[in-house]
Every structure is written in structure tokens, then in C-alpha cells.
Amino acid sequence: MRIFKDLNIDFLGKRNLFYLVSAAVIVAGIASIVFKGLEFGLDFKGGTEVVVRFPRAVEIGELRGIMRNADLGSVEIKSFGGETDYIVRTELKGEGSKISDQIKVTLDKAFTEQIEVLQENRVEAKIGAEIRRDAVIAIFVALIGILVYIGFRFKFIFAVGAVAALFHDVLLTLGIVSICTGLIPGLNLEFDQAMVAAFLTLVGYSINDTVIVFDRVRENLKLFKTSPLEPLMNKSINTTMARTILTSATTMVTMLALLFLGGEPTRGFAFTMVIGIITGSYSSIFVASALTLDWAKARNAKITF
């Protein structure tokens, strides 16, 4: 398929405008994180979780009404996988299996049918803190690994632009997740282990897109050794545009299917990936090369291969 043939857009000539757009969204996101915060899931804040299976579909509203009167503090109930499976979560932990037993007794009293318990999980706050710390370390280690890889495969000046663009993607996506938390009914945006996996995945996705553009820049630098860097980068972005749009569109279709059809457990992951695909593609076109160009100009560096 041939699309965007003979495209000739001056992306880098408009880079200051896109810097402003990115800065505005990032500032709004940081303000949301500071004043509104993120909704941490059970993985991070600790508590008790019981997965139960009913012989028939039950209204979640009915379950919430039953658990509200069970003296279990703040209780969260979500569908899980099939139509008859539900997760009952509470921040309470208690000793041993006290809280999960209390949940089971409450359900047994309210329903005459046999209720099957599929999972019982108890997460300590200390474990949640360790998971939160490890998640931050994992993302930073991934970014440092990418910095070394890009520096080795291309030039260090490209690595600076690529990693700065990845920080941009993570901040932008995290901010949008914080802004959207609680705004859309039925959208679970708890920051849990699945959300961490989504951020690591989007880092890998975004750098792959950026590497395609940088690879074309390197090829053109070898072919047109006397050409200025800015028009050569513009040419590289234009010639890789079809690949960027087609890859993003096909990945987006998969993530949208997971978002709307995958059920509650994968909804936060899918939503984060949808935002990540948009920010990753945006940064590959408008941010990564622009930062590399400005970094090269600031250092008065001449890039050759």
C-alpha cells in the first residue's frame, strides 16, 4: 500500500509550536498528579481481594449494596473475566484470612446459590511500597538501557533526543491517565501492575518508532553528506510517515478491541496503551528529531556516519 507518497511537510520548522503543545499537556498532567493524584490499586496500597464465581449473572449494584452493609470499609466490586465472576476488594487486611472469610460469609448469607471462591489474595502495604519502588526503577533502567543502545547503534546525540522523547511520552501519558481518572464511568484507571506493564510496553513501542526515523536519517546522512541537518531530518520523517501511520493504526485497532471488549481487568492497560500509541507516534514525528536537532545546534555539532 502506498500512502503519503511525495509528502513534503516542514515538521521541524514548526517544532516550537509542538514544544508548546507538549509543555501545556505535561504541565496540566503534573498539576493533576500533584493535586488529584493517581488511584493506586491493591497491588500498591495493600488490602484483601477475593475472586468469586456465581452460578448465574448478578447485578454489580446488588453486590455493592450487600457489601456496603458488611462493615468492610471501602469495598470495590468489579466483573472479572466471565459474566458470573467478580472481584471483591477492600483496603482492610485483618489477621490471617479474617477479611476474606468475612466477605465469603456475607455473600453466603445474601445468596442461596453455591458461590465458588476462585482466588484469595492479601497484599501488605510494605509489599505495595516495594512494588511501587521496583516499578519506578524498572522504567528508569529501561530508559538507561535505551540510552546506551541508541548511543551505541547511532550517535550519543541521537540517544539524548530519543530518551528525552521517551521521558516526554511517559510524563504525557501519566498526566493524561491522572486527568481521566474518575472522569469516564466504567473506566478502571487504577495504577496497578498491569498499568506498569503498559508503561514499559509504550516505552518499547515509542523507541521502535523513533529508531525507524533515526535509521532513515542515518541513511540520508550517508547519501547526502553536504546537506544541512534540518531539511535532511524533515525528508526522513516524511519518507517514514506511511510506516508510522500504518503501524500505529494497526496497533491502535488491537488496543481499542482490548479496551472495549477485553473486560474490566484489562481496561486500564488498554487505555494506557491507546494514549501511549498516540503520544509515541506524536513524539516520533514532532519531538525526538526536533530535540536532536536543537541539541546538535546548541553544541554546534556536525553529525557524520
Side-chain angles (χ1 to χ4, degrees), residues 4-225:
F4 301 125
K5 189 179 179 182
D6 301 325
L7 197 65
N8 185 24
I9 299 175
D10 181 15
F11 293 104
L12 295 176
K14 302 173 181 62
R15 61 186 183 280
N16 288 334
L17 170 64
F18 294 108
Y19 285 160
L20 285 174
V21 171
S22 294
V25 179
I26 287 172
V27 168
I30 290 174
S32 176
I33 292 169
V34 170
F35 294 108
K36 183 179 174 185
L38 296 168
E39 188 177 338
F40 287 104
L42 190 69
D43 298 334
F44 291 95
K45 63 186 180 186
T48 304
E49 173 185 274
V50 178
V51 181
V52 294
R53 173 172 292 168
F54 287 81
R56 60 178 174 84
V58 179
E59 290 293 330
I60 286 184
E62 182 185 0
L63 282 177
R64 288 198 179 110
I66 293 167
M67 301 309 298
R68 196 177 295 127
N69 301 318
D71 195 23
L72 285 167
S74 177
V75 178
E76 180 184 11
I77 299 174
K78 297 176 181 177
S79 58
F80 181 81
E83 294 181 351
T84 59
D85 298 346
Y86 301 90
I87 299 176
V88 182
R89 289 173 168 171
T90 172
E91 293 182 12
L92 300 182
K93 291 182 280 292
E95 294 182 3
S97 60
K98 179 183 174 183
I99 301 301
S100 56
D101 289 343
Q102 192 174 340
I103 292 172
K104 286 184 286 184
V105 169
T106 302
L107 292 175
D108 286 337
K109 284 182 180 176
F111 295 94
T112 56
E113 300 97 331
Q114 184 70 30
I115 301 171
E116 182 182 358
V117 176
L118 302 179
Q119 292 179 31
E120 295 178 44
N121 300 312
R122 186 171 181 272
V123 181
E124 298 294 340
K126 183 181 177 184
I127 295 175
E130 289 176 359
I131 293 173
R132 191 161 55 239
R133 182 201 62 199
D134 291 347
V136 173
I137 291 173
I139 291 175
F140 272 93
V141 168
L143 291 173
I144 290 170
I146 289 168
L147 180 73
V148 173
Y149 168 71
I150 298 295
F152 176 75
R153 181 172 172 182
F154 296 92
K155 299 275 186 185
F156 182 72
I157 204 162
F158 283 90
V160 171
V163 171
L166 289 180
F167 270 111
H168 160 278
D169 295 348
V170 171
L171 281 176
L172 211 66
T173 306
L174 190 62
I176 292 173
V177 166
S178 175
I179 291 169
C180 293
T181 298
L183 286 183
I184 306 173
L187 181 63
N188 171 25
L189 291 179
E190 275 189 353
F191 202 89
D192 54 13
Q193 292 189 63
M195 192 77 85
V196 174
F199 275 94
L200 288 171
T201 307
L202 85 85
V203 165
Y205 176 86
S206 179
I207 195 62
N208 185 53
D209 225 18
T210 302
V211 163
I212 296 295
V213 176
F214 283 177
D215 210 30
R216 187 59 57 88
V217 173
R218 182 173 59 178
E219 287 177 12
N220 287 330
L221 278 170
K222 290 178 181 176
L223 290 173
F224 309 101
K225 294 182 183 298

Side-chain angles (χ1 to χ4, degrees), residues 187-292:
L187 181 63
N188 171 25
L189 291 179
E190 275 189 353
F191 202 89
D192 54 13
Q193 292 189 63
M195 192 77 85
V196 174
F199 275 94
L200 288 171
T201 307
L202 85 85
V203 165
Y205 176 86
S206 179
I207 195 62
N208 185 53
D209 225 18
T210 302
V211 163
I212 296 295
V213 176
F214 283 177
D215 210 30
R216 187 59 57 88
V217 173
R218 182 173 59 178
E219 287 177 12
N220 287 330
L221 278 170
K222 290 178 181 176
L223 290 173
F224 309 101
K225 294 182 183 298
T226 58
S227 174
L229 185 58
E230 184 169 339
L232 194 143
M233 279 185 158
N234 263 326
K235 178 183 176 67
S236 303
I237 296 171
N238 278 294
T239 53
T240 54
M241 182 61 71
R243 184 266 176 201
T244 300
I245 297 299
L246 287 174
T247 304
S248 301
T250 50
T251 314
M252 182 66 81
V253 169
T254 307
M255 284 301 124
L256 287 174
L258 192 62
L259 178 63
F260 291 111
L261 305 174
E264 186 71 27
T266 59
R267 204 153 284 161
F269 173 88
F271 179 81
T272 306
M273 281 303 301
V274 166
I275 301 300
I277 290 168
I278 295 170
T279 58
S281 303
Y282 166 81
S283 72
S284 298
I285 298 169
F286 300 109
V287 179
S289 296
L291 289 173
T292 303

